[in-house]
Structure formats: structure tokens, C-alpha cells
Amino acid sequence: MNKILILAEAKENTFKSNAFEAVTAGKHIAEALGTGFDVIAITDASDEQLKSLGKYGAAKVYHLNLSELNSKGPAGIKYSHSAIASAAANFANTKGYDIIIISGTSFGKEIAPMISVKTDSAIITDCTGYNAADGKISLKRPSFAGKCNTKVNYLSGKAVITLRPNVFKAEAAEAACEVEEITPDSVNISASDFKTCVTDVVVSSGKLDVAEADIIVSGGRGLRNPESFKLVEDLAEVLGAATGASRAVVDAGWRPHGEQVGQTGKTVSPSLYVACGISGAIQHLAGMSSSKFIVAINKDKDAPIFQVADYGIVGDVFEILPAMTEEIKKLKV
Amino acid sequence: MKIEVCVSLVPDSTTKVKVGASGKSIDEAGVTYIINPYDEFAVEEAVQLKEKNGGEVTAISVGTDRSKEAIKKAYQMGADKGILVKSDSADIDSFTVAKNLAAVIKEINPDIIFFGKQSIDYDGSIVTGMTAEILGLPYVNVVTKLELNGNEATAEREIEGGKEVVKTSLPAVFGAQKGLNNPRYPNLKSIMASKSKPIEEKPFANERKTEVAEMSLPESKGQGKIFTDGVSNVPELVRLLREEAKVI
Ligand SMILES: Cc1cc2nc3c(=O)[nH]c(=O)nc-3n(C[C@H](O)[C@H](O)[C@H](O)COP(=O)(O)OP(=O)(O)OC[C@H]3O[C@@H](n4cnc5c(N)ncnc54)[C@H](O)[C@@H]3O)c2cc1C
Ligand SMILES: Cc1cc2nc3c(=O)[nH]c(=O)nc-3n(C[C@H](O)[C@H](O)[C@H](O)COP(=O)(O)OP(=O)(O)OC[C@H]3O[C@@H](n4cnc5c(N)ncnc54)[C@H](O)[C@@H]3O)c2cc1C
């Protein structure tokens, strides 16, 4: 019982940290339950890429070629969430997995509910922790925009679990990794599984997205005008960070919506979040309070952002940002 | 066109969350409830579609009597009919909600169904996809743009660093994200009219697969190191980030 399957997501045929995090989390959960785990990857990634999952302890990777899968659907598509969900769910049903672990990226969030229905499993999303006892796990997940934590149990024997990205650490654990190829036919895929088809992926800019960044420098209304976001961008550049924004400046049209962090924007958990001229409204905190370290720069010592900050300077962003950029540049030479 | 929109009632986002006596739900004292903000985008899209193509918009909610408020809000924005699948308790899981919604939707057999991309209370992002899958319908979540051409639909969906263009065919389910439209403010007349508009009630069936074992407030971080000397503190801050936090 308690057989675990991890769905490793590859982006443009390359596994990113979220896939390694899922493998590590799955490995720990398997150990805690005294069971094993397998990985499924639906991608055109190279054999070498697939084997890289072994560096995090994956001993067995089932691989379904994405282009082979796509050949069962309409011509000219990039991928189909519904077909990928069908393939993963049919595979899990045939092999009898009880727990399916998926990273809660935009891709993972889209397919997880479909997989849970197809495998007749409970679903618990956005998990930040787990607890194993008596051969069962319960999951910890934030709710009410991070204002409280909830422990959720699943009642049926089976569960689909999505993990909040950037929360579980990927840990090196060398395993001899065996890759076994599977075919679309072996998982019963037909044209009717292609209910939705992604025909194009448009990258909004070449820039790093807040949802994927390890460091984020965000600016708010304290920057006063769109031009002074240059100061935020300069600091982000020396840190190799993504730039984020509060809703106030997104609504004002100073920054694109893709940069918005918070309840109606993106939820992020980077290692370092630098909030510049952001007051720290509850809806903003909802999107970033699970960051590992938070730095606040605000001229108002009573701004709520200081209550969640690990470090902060009460002062003027127009002085502090350039000084930080210079100071960090010194480290890099 | 038969258009369906699923709406839920959630605590206002400024609510101070306190854990209730059971330790498994929030203390409801003093909480103000609103329609889930993403559901407003869903209702707006449904009503715009009706205004363009004719037809009827039905708003559905699963919950206690209180959830009628969400349906009334949909009425104010232009929905024609409302259905409450009425449960005695607010403690219901996503699968139960999806199952009950699917049962009602199946009866109505609509051309298109709108949801919000996620509820702002439990932030599940589950119900939309589950309901669609139970019905065997295609679904696209986090939709910021939708174009219909006969039975063909092209949706734009927000992803990390960009968007996906997704093609599907109706009937289909869409989860609305901010940016899809600008929800209208109801006028006084529609607010008044919504008060007396009937809401049909349907029986509820509990089919839960999860339970909340415990709710707790996050451990407070303890006081951070906050410096008050402005720019002169920058070298110390950078040193701490490097040596103590080890993040740069
Ligand atoms: C339903 C709902 C959803 C929402 N969703 C989001 C969301 O997703 N994300 C989000 O961010 N907000 C969201 N909001 C809005 C939120 O309530 C706040 O209005 C918003 O976050 C404020 O943005 P801000 O901090 O940039 O601006 P302000 O609150 O105006 O704060 C500006 C800060 O800059 C400081 N400042 C000014 N000048 C300087 C200077 N020279 N140097 C240093 N500091 C300076 C000020 O002291 C102040 O603290 C939402 C609101 C609602 C009702
Ligand atoms: C603290 C806490 C944590 C929970 N965690 C889980 C969990 O991990 N797994 C789980 O299965 N359940 C969980 N539940 C129960 C679940 O959240 C509720 O059933 C809730 O009704 C659905 O919320 P959601 O966040 O999943 O909705 P979402 O899936 O985020 O909602 C998406 C859309 O579905 C529609 N919708 C949602 N609810 C309704 C409704 N009642 N009526 C009509 N339309 C609706 C709306 O259009 C909404 O925009 C939890 C409950 C609590 C109290």
C-alpha cells in the first residue's frame, strides 16, 4: 500500500528546481511511510535529463515522450493538459499508486484536479508540509491567504497532492536511475483525450518571472513614479532577481500585471524578498509572507511590512536602493 | 445560449482570522462575507456573453443559506436565475462541492460554464477542474481572455512568465482570472430587484474525501532586525544578508 508516484514537470525539456523538490519531498514521504516511489515524466527531455532525477534519489523514472503523446491528437499543438492528465491518471490506475505528488506550478495546478477525479482520489493542494503517522500522512497547507495553517487529512485511501513551489528543499541523494519508456497506447490515449490543446506559449518578456525566482525585489507606491522603478530593476539585476510589484502600482499602470505579488497576483516563496516602498497590506502579505527572508525598506517605521520583515531599514528608498546596489556590486568583484 | 456561473461566498479579504472553538474552522464572529472576488469576473463574463448572444445566466452555489448572498450579487450583476444546493453545514470539501455542482449543471446542460480561478478562503484552485472532469467537459483555468467562434473557443491562460493560448470546443468550463473583464458595479435598481428575486433550492449530498483536522495561526517570526538610521545601515544589512541569512 501507499505506493507513491511523483509527476516530474519539465519545462522546455529541462527539469527545473520544482521537479527536484517534488522528488525529494516524495522520497521523504515514502521513507516516512515505509514505502517506495516512482517518477513519471511526460516530456521530450533527453535521457541525460531524465537521469538527472536520480541525483535526487529517483531510482525509477517512467518516461512518455511528449511528441509521441501529441501524435495522438490534432496536428500542430504544443501540448494538451487534458491528454497529459489522462496519461498520468491511466498510468497511476494501472499500476495502482495511492499517492500522486505534483508540483503546484501553473501546469500542476491545472492537471491535478483532473487527475484526482480520474483516479478517484482526494486532492490536497498548495501543501507546505506533511506529517506521517500510522501509515498515513496529513498535509499542512496555508489558507485564508496565509493567515492560518490547516492540517488536512484524506479519508479515502488515495490522494493527489500538490506542493507549493520553493518550499520543499531539493536534496542531493544519488540513486542508480533506471528509465523505462512507456507509450501512449500503453496508457490508453486516444484523440478524445485532447479536450484542450495549447497551440502557443507567449513569453511576456525575456525576464525572470516572480513565481520562479529565488530572489525578488518588489516596488510599491513609495517609488512615486514609473521611472524610478529603474532603482528596483538595478538592484534586481545585481542580485540576479526578478522584479515584483504591489497592486497599487500595477493598477496605476506603472508595472505589468505579471509582476503583481499578492492575493490577486502571484503567490511567491523566494529565499529573499525585498519590499521597497510597499506598506505591507494584508493582500500583499498574502502573496509573499512564506518567503524565507523578507527585507523591508520603508520610510514609515510603523508600516505593517516591518512586522513580517526579518531585516529592514527605516528610510528613503531613493537613497537606500542605490546604496544597496553599490554595496552588493562590491561583493561581486 | 445557456450560461452557468458558479459562485461562492467567502470572508472579506481584510478579515482578521481567528481559530474557532472547534479548532477546525475560523471563528465566524464579526466576519463579513462577500462573493469570491474571482467569481465577479466569472459573472461579468457570463452576463456579457448573454448580452451579446442572448440566452440565460444561472448562478449556482453550494452552501448554507448564507451563500444566497453570493447568488444575490450575481443577480445584481445580471444573472437571471439562481440555485442554491443547500447544506446544513459550511464544512464541506472540494469534491463534495464539485459533485453537487456537477449534478445541477448536468440537469441544465449548459453551453458554457464559468467559475472563478480560485476561492480566496481556502485557495484550493480545485473545484473548477474537478467539476469539469466529473462532467467530462474540457476546462481551462486562470483565463485572462476568451474568444468564441461558434462552438470553438480560444482562451488565454496566465502562466509563469507569460501565457498559453488554449483551444477547445463548447460546452466547456472556464476559470476566470483578473484581467478577463471589468466587473460592473450594480446600480440601485438591480440591487433592489435582487432582494425579492427567488432562489431555487436543491438537495445536497455529502461525499467528502478530505477533512480538516486542525487549524492554527502561523508561528510568529519574532521581531526582525529593523534599523532606523537610513542609508548608513546599508553595509550592515548587506553583511547580514550575506553572512547570517546566507541568501546573497
Ligand atoms: C480584494 C483585494 C485584493 C488585493 N490584492 C492585492 C494584491 O494582490 N497585491 C497587492 O500588493 N495589493 C493588493 N490589494 C491592495 C492592497 O490593499 C494595497 O492597497 C496595496 O498593496 C498597496 O500598495 P503599496 O504598498 O504599493 O502602496 P501604499 O499602501 O500606498 O504604500 C506605499 C508605502 O511606501 C512608503 N513610502 C512612501 N515614500 C517612500 C520613500 N521615499 N521611501 C520609502 N518608503 C516610502 C509609505 O510609507 C507606504 O508604506 C488588494 C486589495 C483588495 C481589496
Ligand atoms: C482551512 C481549510 C482547508 C481546506 N483544504 C482543502 C483541501 O486541501 N482539499 C479539499 O478537497 N478541500 C479542502 N477544504 C474544503 C474546501 O476548501 C471547501 O470545500 C470549499 O468549498 C472549496 O474551496 P476551494 O478553495 O477548494 O475552492 P476553489 O477550487 O479555489 O474555487 C474555485 C471556484 O469554484 C467555485 N466554487 C468554489 N466553492 C463553491 C461553492 N461552494 N459553490 C459554488 N461554487 C463554488 C467558485 O467559482 C470558485 O471561484 C478545506 C477547507 C478548510 C476550512
Side-chain angles (χ1 to χ4, degrees), chain A residues 151-230:
Chain A
K151 204 171 125 183
V152 183
N153 294 333
Y154 55 96
L155 305 170
S156 55
K158 295 199 283 183
V160 170
I161 295 165
T162 70
L163 309 177
R164 179 178 285 201
N166 260 332
V167 170
F168 294 87
K169 248 184 128 77
E171 290 166 18
E174 204 73 33
C177 181
E178 185 201 342
V179 177
E180 183 174 329
E181 297 295 329
I182 52 179
T183 62
D185 289 332
S186 73
V187 288
N188 277 320
I189 293 299
S190 66
S192 64
D193 289 300
F194 290 76
K195 290 192 187 122
T196 58
C197 293
V198 174
T199 52
D200 202 5
V201 178
V202 185
V203 180
S204 44
S205 62
K207 286 201 300 188
L208 184 59
D209 189 78
V210 284
E212 295 187 313
D214 195 42
I215 302 182
I216 297 169
V217 184
S218 277
R221 196 137 54 184
L223 268 298
R224 274 194 229 135
N225 54 53
E227 293 72 38
S228 41
F229 267 78
K230 175 88 173 54

Coordinates of all heavy atoms in Angstrom, one line a residue, chain A residues 151-230:
Chain A
K151 N -4.3 21.6 8.9 CA -3.9 20.3 8.7 C -5.0 19.5 8.1 O -6.1 19.6 8.6 CB -3.6 19.7 10.1 CG -2.6 18.5 10.1 CD -2.2 18.2 11.5 CE -2.5 16.7 11.7 NZ -2.3 16.3 13.1
V152 N -4.8 18.9 6.9 CA -5.9 18.3 6.2 C -5.6 16.8 6.1 O -4.5 16.4 5.7 CB -6.1 18.9 4.8 CG1 -7.3 18.2 4.1 CG2 -6.3 20.4 4.8
N153 N -6.6 16.0 6.4 CA -6.5 14.5 6.2 C -7.3 14.1 5.0 O -8.3 14.7 4.7 CB -7.1 13.8 7.4 CG -6.3 14.0 8.7 OD1 -5.1 14.3 8.6 ND2 -7.0 13.9 9.8
Y154 N -6.8 13.0 4.4 CA -7.7 12.5 3.3 C -8.3 11.2 3.8 O -7.7 10.4 4.6 CB -7.0 12.3 2.0 CG -5.7 11.5 2.0 CD1 -5.7 10.1 1.7 CD2 -4.5 12.0 2.4 CE1 -4.6 9.3 1.7 CE2 -3.3 11.3 2.4 CZ -3.4 9.9 2.1 OH -2.3 9.2 2.1
L155 N -9.6 11.0 3.5 CA -10.4 9.9 4.1 C -10.3 8.7 3.2 O -10.3 7.6 3.7 CB -11.8 10.4 4.3 CG -11.9 11.7 5.1 CD1 -13.3 12.2 5.1 CD2 -11.5 11.5 6.5
S156 N -10.3 8.9 1.9 CA -10.2 7.7 1.0 C -8.8 7.3 1.1 O -7.9 8.0 1.6 CB -10.6 8.1 -0.4 OG -9.8 9.2 -0.8
G157 N -8.5 6.1 0.6 CA -7.1 5.6 0.6 C -6.1 6.4 -0.3 O -4.9 6.2 -0.2
K158 N -6.7 7.2 -1.2 CA -5.8 7.8 -2.2 C -5.9 9.3 -2.2 O -6.9 9.9 -2.0 CB -6.3 7.3 -3.6 CG -6.1 5.7 -3.7 CD -6.2 5.3 -5.2 CE -7.6 5.3 -5.7 NZ -7.6 4.8 -7.1
A159 N -4.7 9.9 -2.6 CA -4.7 11.4 -2.6 C -3.8 11.9 -3.7 O -2.8 11.3 -4.0 CB -4.2 11.9 -1.3
V160 N -4.2 13.0 -4.3 CA -3.3 13.8 -5.2 C -2.9 15.0 -4.4 O -3.7 15.6 -3.7 CB -4.1 14.2 -6.4 CG1 -3.3 15.2 -7.2 CG2 -4.4 13.0 -7.3
I161 N -1.6 15.2 -4.3 CA -1.1 16.3 -3.5 C -0.3 17.3 -4.4 O 0.6 16.8 -5.1 CB -0.1 15.7 -2.4 CG1 -0.9 14.8 -1.5 CG2 0.6 16.7 -1.7 CD1 -0.1 13.9 -0.6
T162 N -0.6 18.5 -4.3 CA 0.3 19.5 -5.0 C 1.1 20.3 -3.9 O 0.6 20.6 -2.8 CB -0.4 20.5 -5.9 OG1 -1.2 21.4 -5.1 CG2 -1.4 19.8 -6.9
L163 N 2.4 20.5 -4.3 CA 3.3 21.2 -3.4 C 3.5 22.6 -3.8 O 3.7 22.9 -5.0 CB 4.7 20.5 -3.4 CG 4.7 19.0 -3.3 CD1 6.1 18.5 -3.5 CD2 4.2 18.6 -1.9
R164 N 3.5 23.5 -2.8 CA 3.8 24.9 -3.2 C 5.2 25.0 -3.6 O 6.1 24.5 -2.9 CB 3.5 25.8 -2.0 CG 3.9 27.3 -2.3 CD 3.6 28.2 -1.1 NE 2.2 28.4 -1.0 CZ 1.7 29.5 -0.3 NH1 2.5 30.4 0.2 NH2 0.4 29.6 -0.2
P165 N 5.5 25.5 -4.8 CA 6.9 25.6 -5.3 C 7.8 26.4 -4.3 O 7.3 27.3 -3.6 CB 6.8 26.3 -6.6 CG 5.4 26.1 -7.0 CD 4.6 26.1 -5.8
N166 N 9.1 26.0 -4.2 CA 10.1 26.7 -3.5 C 10.0 26.5 -2.0 O 10.8 27.1 -1.2 CB 10.0 28.2 -3.7 CG 11.0 28.7 -4.7 OD1 12.1 28.1 -4.8 ND2 10.7 29.7 -5.4
V167 N 9.1 25.6 -1.5 CA 9.0 25.4 -0.1 C 9.8 24.2 0.4 O 10.6 24.2 1.3 CB 7.5 25.3 0.4 CG1 7.4 24.9 1.8 CG2 6.8 26.6 0.2
F168 N 9.6 23.1 -0.3 CA 10.4 21.9 0.0 C 11.7 22.0 -0.7 O 11.8 22.4 -1.8 CB 9.6 20.7 -0.6 CG 8.3 20.4 0.1 CD1 7.2 21.0 -0.3 CD2 8.2 19.6 1.2 CE1 5.9 20.8 0.3 CE2 7.0 19.4 1.9 CZ 5.9 20.0 1.4
K169 N 12.8 21.7 0.0 CA 14.1 21.8 -0.5 C 14.5 20.6 -1.3 O 14.2 19.4 -0.9 CB 15.1 21.9 0.7 CG 15.8 23.2 0.9 CD 16.8 23.1 2.0 CE 18.1 23.6 1.6 NZ 18.2 25.0 1.6
A170 N 15.1 20.8 -2.4 CA 15.7 19.7 -3.2 C 17.0 19.2 -2.6 O 17.8 20.1 -2.3 CB 15.9 20.1 -4.7
E171 N 17.1 17.9 -2.3 CA 18.3 17.5 -1.6 C 19.0 16.4 -2.5 O 18.3 15.5 -2.9 CB 18.0 16.8 -0.3 CG 17.6 17.9 0.8 CD 16.9 17.2 2.0 OE1 17.1 16.0 2.2 OE2 16.2 17.9 2.7
A172 N 20.3 16.5 -2.6 CA 21.1 15.5 -3.4 C 21.0 14.2 -2.7 O 21.1 14.1 -1.5 CB 22.5 16.0 -3.6
A173 N 20.7 13.1 -3.5 CA 20.7 11.8 -2.9 C 20.9 10.8 -4.1 O 19.9 10.4 -4.7 CB 19.4 11.5 -2.2
E174 N 22.1 10.5 -4.4 CA 22.4 9.8 -5.6 C 21.7 8.4 -5.6 O 21.7 7.7 -4.7 CB 23.9 9.5 -5.7 CG 24.5 9.3 -7.1 CD 24.5 10.5 -8.0 OE1 24.7 11.6 -7.4 OE2 24.3 10.3 -9.2
A175 N 21.0 8.1 -6.8 CA 20.4 6.8 -6.9 C 20.8 6.3 -8.3 O 20.8 7.1 -9.3 CB 18.9 6.8 -6.7
A176 N 20.9 5.0 -8.5 CA 21.1 4.5 -9.8 C 19.7 4.6 -10.5 O 18.8 4.0 -10.0 CB 21.5 3.0 -9.8
C177 N 19.6 5.4 -11.5 CA 18.3 5.8 -12.1 C 18.0 5.0 -13.3 O 18.8 5.1 -14.3 CB 18.3 7.3 -12.3 SG 16.8 7.8 -13.0
E178 N 17.0 4.2 -13.3 CA 16.6 3.4 -14.4 C 15.4 4.1 -15.1 O 14.4 4.5 -14.5 CB 16.1 2.0 -14.0 CG 15.8 1.1 -15.1 CD 14.9 -0.1 -14.7 OE1 14.9 -0.3 -13.4 OE2 14.3 -0.7 -15.5
V179 N 15.5 4.3 -16.5 CA 14.4 4.9 -17.2 C 13.7 3.9 -18.0 O 14.3 3.1 -18.8 CB 15.0 6.0 -18.1 CG1 13.8 6.7 -19.0 CG2 15.7 7.1 -17.4
E180 N 12.4 3.8 -17.8 CA 11.6 2.8 -18.6 C 10.6 3.6 -19.5 O 9.9 4.5 -19.0 CB 10.8 1.9 -17.7 CG 10.1 0.8 -18.4 CD 9.4 -0.2 -17.5 OE1 10.0 -0.5 -16.5 OE2 8.3 -0.7 -17.9
E181 N 10.7 3.3 -20.8 CA 9.8 4.0 -21.7 C 8.4 3.5 -21.7 O 8.2 2.2 -21.6 CB 10.4 3.9 -23.2 CG 11.8 4.5 -23.4 CD 11.8 6.0 -23.2 OE1 10.8 6.7 -23.5 OE2 12.8 6.5 -22.7
I182 N 7.4 4.3 -21.7 CA 6.0 3.9 -21.9 C 5.5 4.6 -23.2 O 6.0 5.6 -23.6 CB 5.2 4.2 -20.7 CG1 5.2 5.6 -20.2 CG2 5.6 3.3 -19.5 CD1 4.4 5.9 -19.0
T183 N 4.4 4.0 -23.7 CA 3.9 4.5 -24.9 C 2.5 5.1 -24.7 O 1.8 4.7 -23.7 CB 3.7 3.4 -26.0 OG1 2.8 2.4 -25.5 CG2 5.1 2.8 -26.3
P184 N 2.0 5.9 -25.6 CA 0.6 6.4 -25.4 C -0.4 5.3 -25.4 O -1.4 5.3 -24.7 CB 0.4 7.3 -26.7 CG 1.8 7.7 -27.1 CD 2.7 6.6 -26.7
D185 N -0.1 4.2 -26.2 CA -1.1 3.1 -26.2 C -1.1 2.4 -24.9 O -2.2 2.0 -24.5 CB -0.7 2.1 -27.3 CG -1.0 2.7 -28.7 OD1 -1.9 3.6 -28.8 OD2 -0.3 2.3 -29.7
S186 N 0.0 2.3 -24.3 CA 0.1 1.5 -23.0 C -0.7 2.3 -21.9 O -1.1 1.7 -20.9 CB 1.5 1.3 -22.6 OG 2.1 2.5 -22.1
V187 N -0.9 3.6 -22.1 CA -1.8 4.3 -21.1 C -3.1 4.7 -21.8 O -3.7 5.7 -21.3 CB -1.0 5.5 -20.5 CG1 0.1 5.0 -19.6 CG2 -0.4 6.4 -21.6
N188 N -3.5 4.0 -22.8 CA -4.8 4.2 -23.4 C -5.2 5.6 -23.9 O -6.3 6.0 -23.6 CB -5.9 3.7 -22.4 CG -6.0 2.3 -22.4 OD1 -6.0 1.6 -23.4 ND2 -6.1 1.7 -21.2
I189 N -4.3 6.2 -24.5 CA -4.6 7.6 -25.0 C -5.2 7.5 -26.4 O -4.7 6.8 -27.3 CB -3.3 8.4 -25.0 CG1 -2.8 8.7 -23.6 CG2 -3.6 9.8 -25.7 CD1 -3.8 9.4 -22.7
S190 N -6.3 8.3 -26.6 CA -6.9 8.4 -27.9 C -7.2 9.8 -28.2 O -7.0 10.7 -27.3 CB -8.1 7.5 -28.0 OG -9.1 8.1 -27.1
A191 N -7.6 10.1 -29.4 CA -7.9 11.5 -29.8 C -8.8 12.2 -28.8 O -8.7 13.4 -28.6 CB -8.4 11.5 -31.2
S192 N -9.8 11.5 -28.2 CA -10.7 12.1 -27.4 C -10.2 12.6 -26.1 O -10.8 13.4 -25.3 CB -11.9 11.1 -27.0 OG -11.3 10.0 -26.3
D193 N -8.9 12.3 -25.8 CA -8.3 12.8 -24.6 C -7.8 14.2 -24.8 O -7.4 14.9 -23.8 CB -7.1 11.9 -24.1 CG -7.6 10.6 -23.6 OD1 -8.3 10.7 -22.5 OD2 -7.3 9.6 -24.1
F194 N -7.7 14.7 -26.0 CA -7.2 16.0 -26.3 C -8.3 17.1 -26.3 O -8.7 17.6 -27.3 CB -6.5 16.0 -27.7 CG -5.2 15.2 -27.6 CD1 -5.2 13.9 -27.6 CD2 -4.0 15.9 -27.5 CE1 -4.0 13.1 -27.5 CE2 -2.8 15.2 -27.4 CZ -2.8 13.8 -27.4
K195 N -8.9 17.2 -25.1 CA -10.0 18.1 -24.9 C -9.6 19.6 -25.0 O -10.4 20.4 -25.4 CB -10.7 17.9 -23.6 CG -11.5 16.6 -23.5 CD -12.4 16.5 -22.3 CE -13.0 15.2 -22.1 NZ -12.6 14.7 -20.8
T196 N -8.4 19.9 -24.5 CA -7.9 21.2 -24.6 C -6.5 21.1 -25.2 O -5.8 20.2 -24.9 CB -7.8 21.9 -23.2 OG1 -6.9 21.1 -22.4 CG2 -9.1 22.1 -22.5
C197 N -6.2 22.0 -26.1 CA -4.8 22.0 -26.7 C -4.2 23.3 -26.6 O -4.7 24.3 -27.0 CB -5.0 21.6 -28.2 SG -5.6 19.9 -28.3
V198 N -2.9 23.3 -26.1 CA -2.2 24.6 -26.1 C -1.5 24.7 -27.5 O -0.7 23.8 -27.9 CB -1.1 24.6 -25.0 CG1 -0.2 25.8 -25.1 CG2 -1.8 24.5 -23.6
T199 N -1.8 25.8 -28.2 CA -1.3 25.9 -29.5 C -0.1 26.9 -29.6 O 0.6 27.0 -30.5 CB -2.4 26.4 -30.5 OG1 -3.0 27.6 -29.9 CG2 -3.5 25.4 -30.7
D200 N 0.0 27.7 -28.5 CA 1.0 28.7 -28.5 C 1.4 29.1 -27.1 O 0.5 29.1 -26.2 CB 0.6 29.9 -29.3 CG 1.8 30.7 -29.8 OD1 2.9 30.3 -29.6 OD2 1.5 31.8 -30.3
V201 N 2.6 29.3 -26.8 CA 3.0 29.8 -25.5 C 3.7 31.1 -25.7 O 4.7 31.2 -26.5 CB 4.0 28.8 -24.8 CG1 4.4 29.4 -23.4 CG2 3.3 27.5 -24.6
V202 N 3.2 32.2 -25.2 CA 3.8 33.5 -25.4 C 4.5 34.0 -24.2 O 4.0 34.0 -23.1 CB 2.6 34.5 -25.7 CG1 3.2 35.9 -26.1 CG2 1.7 34.0 -26.8
V203 N 5.8 34.2 -24.3 CA 6.6 34.7 -23.2 C 6.5 36.2 -23.2 O 6.7 36.9 -24.1 CB 8.1 34.3 -23.4 CG1 8.9 34.8 -22.2 CG2 8.2 32.8 -23.6
S204 N 6.0 36.7 -22.0 CA 5.7 38.1 -21.9 C 7.0 39.0 -22.1 O 6.9 40.1 -22.6 CB 5.0 38.5 -20.7 OG 5.5 37.9 -19.6
S205 N 8.1 38.6 -21.5 CA 9.3 39.3 -21.7 C 10.4 38.3 -21.5 O 10.1 37.2 -20.9 CB 9.4 40.5 -20.8 OG 9.4 40.0 -19.5
G206 N 11.6 38.6 -21.8 CA 12.7 37.6 -21.5 C 13.0 37.6 -20.1 O 13.9 36.9 -19.6
K207 N 12.2 38.3 -19.3 CA 12.6 38.5 -17.9 C 12.2 37.3 -17.0 O 11.2 36.6 -17.3 CB 12.0 39.8 -17.3 CG 12.7 41.0 -17.9 CD 12.5 42.2 -17.0 CE 11.1 42.6 -16.9 NZ 10.8 43.8 -16.1
L208 N 12.9 37.2 -15.9 CA 12.6 36.1 -14.9 C 11.3 36.4 -14.3 O 11.0 37.6 -13.9 CB 13.8 36.1 -13.9 CG 13.8 35.1 -12.8 CD1 13.8 33.7 -13.4 CD2 15.0 35.4 -11.9
D209 N 10.4 35.4 -14.1 CA 9.1 35.6 -13.5 C 9.2 35.5 -12.0 O 9.9 34.7 -11.5 CB 8.2 34.6 -14.1 CG 6.7 34.9 -13.7 OD1 6.1 35.7 -14.3 OD2 6.2 34.2 -12.7
V210 N 8.4 36.3 -11.3 CA 8.4 36.3 -9.9 C 8.1 34.9 -9.3 O 8.7 34.5 -8.3 CB 7.5 37.3 -9.2 CG1 8.0 38.7 -9.3 CG2 6.1 37.2 -9.8
A211 N 7.2 34.2 -10.0 CA 6.8 32.9 -9.5 C 8.0 31.9 -9.5 O 7.9 30.8 -8.9 CB 5.6 32.4 -10.2
E212 N 9.0 32.1 -10.3 CA 10.1 31.2 -10.4 C 11.4 31.7 -9.8 O 12.4 31.0 -9.9 CB 10.3 30.9 -11.9 CG 9.1 30.2 -12.6 CD 9.4 29.8 -14.0 OE1 9.9 30.6 -14.7 OE2 9.1 28.6 -14.3
A213 N 11.4 32.9 -9.3 CA 12.7 33.5 -8.9 C 13.0 33.1 -7.5 O 12.2 32.9 -6.6 CB 12.6 35.0 -9.0
D214 N 14.3 33.0 -7.2 CA 14.8 32.7 -5.9 C 15.0 34.0 -5.1 O 15.0 34.0 -3.9 CB 16.2 32.0 -6.1 CG 16.6 31.3 -4.8 OD1 15.7 30.7 -4.1 OD2 17.7 31.4 -4.4
I215 N 15.2 35.1 -5.8 CA 15.2 36.4 -5.1 C 14.3 37.4 -5.9 O 14.2 37.3 -7.1 CB 16.7 37.0 -5.1 CG1 17.6 36.0 -4.5 CG2 16.7 38.4 -4.5 CD1 19.1 36.6 -4.4
I216 N 13.5 38.1 -5.1 CA 12.6 39.1 -5.8 C 12.8 40.5 -5.1 O 12.9 40.6 -3.9 CB 11.1 38.7 -5.5 CG1 10.9 37.3 -6.2 CG2 10.2 39.7 -6.1 CD1 9.5 36.7 -5.9
V217 N 12.9 41.5 -5.9 CA 12.9 42.9 -5.5 C 11.6 43.5 -5.9 O 11.4 43.6 -7.1 CB 14.1 43.7 -6.0 CG1 14.2 45.1 -5.4 CG2 15.5 42.9 -5.7
S218 N 10.8 43.9 -5.0 CA 9.5 44.5 -5.4 C 9.4 45.9 -5.0 O 9.9 46.3 -4.0 CB 8.4 43.7 -4.6 OG 8.0 42.5 -5.2
G219 N 8.6 46.7 -5.8 CA 8.4 48.1 -5.5 C 7.0 48.4 -5.4 O 6.1 47.8 -6.0
G220 N 6.7 49.4 -4.6 CA 5.3 49.9 -4.4 C 5.2 51.4 -4.6 O 6.1 52.0 -5.2
R221 N 4.1 51.9 -4.1 CA 3.8 53.3 -4.4 C 4.8 54.2 -3.9 O 4.9 55.4 -4.3 CB 2.4 53.6 -3.8 CG 1.8 54.8 -4.2 CD 0.3 54.7 -4.5 NE -0.4 54.1 -3.3 CZ -1.7 53.8 -3.3 NH1 -2.4 54.0 -4.4 NH2 -2.3 53.3 -2.2
G222 N 5.6 53.8 -2.9 CA 6.7 54.6 -2.3 C 7.7 55.0 -3.4 O 8.5 55.9 -3.2
L223 N 7.7 54.3 -4.5 CA 8.7 54.7 -5.6 C 8.2 56.0 -6.4 O 8.9 56.5 -7.2 CB 8.8 53.5 -6.6 CG 9.9 52.5 -6.4 CD1 11.3 53.2 -6.5 CD2 9.8 51.8 -5.1
R224 N 7.0 56.4 -6.1 CA 6.4 57.6 -6.6 C 6.1 57.7 -8.1 O 5.1 58.4 -8.5 CB 7.3 58.8 -6.2 CG 6.9 59.3 -4.9 CD 7.5 60.7 -4.6 NE 8.2 60.6 -3.3 CZ 9.4 61.1 -3.1 NH1 10.1 61.7 -4.0 NH2 10.0 61.0 -1.9
N225 N 6.9 57.1 -9.0 CA 6.5 57.2 -10.4 C 7.2 56.0 -11.1 O 8.1 55.4 -10.6 CB 7.0 58.5 -11.0 CG 8.4 58.8 -10.8 OD1 9.3 57.9 -11.1 ND2 8.7 59.9 -10.2
P226 N 6.7 55.7 -12.3 CA 7.2 54.5 -13.0 C 8.7 54.6 -13.3 O 9.4 53.6 -13.3 CB 6.4 54.5 -14.3 CG 5.5 55.7 -14.4 CD 5.5 56.3 -13.0
E227 N 9.2 55.8 -13.6 CA 10.6 55.9 -14.0 C 11.5 55.5 -12.8 O 12.5 54.8 -13.1 CB 10.9 57.4 -14.3 CG 10.3 58.0 -15.5 CD 8.7 58.2 -15.4 OE1 8.3 58.6 -14.3 OE2 8.0 57.9 -16.3
S228 N 11.1 55.7 -11.6 CA 12.0 55.4 -10.5 C 12.1 53.9 -10.2 O 12.9 53.4 -9.4 CB 11.8 56.1 -9.2 OG 10.4 56.2 -9.0
F229 N 11.3 53.1 -11.0 CA 11.4 51.6 -10.8 C 12.8 51.2 -11.4 O 13.2 50.0 -11.2 CB 10.3 50.9 -11.5 CG 9.2 50.6 -10.6 CD1 8.3 51.6 -10.2 CD2 9.1 49.3 -10.0 CE1 7.3 51.3 -9.2 CE2 8.1 49.0 -9.0 CZ 7.2 50.0 -8.7
K230 N 13.5 52.0 -12.1 CA 14.8 51.8 -12.5 C 15.7 51.4 -11.3 O 16.5 50.5 -11.4 CB 15.4 53.0 -13.2 CG 16.8 53.0 -13.6 CD 17.0 52.4 -15.0 CE 18.4 52.5 -15.6 NZ 19.4 51.9 -14.8

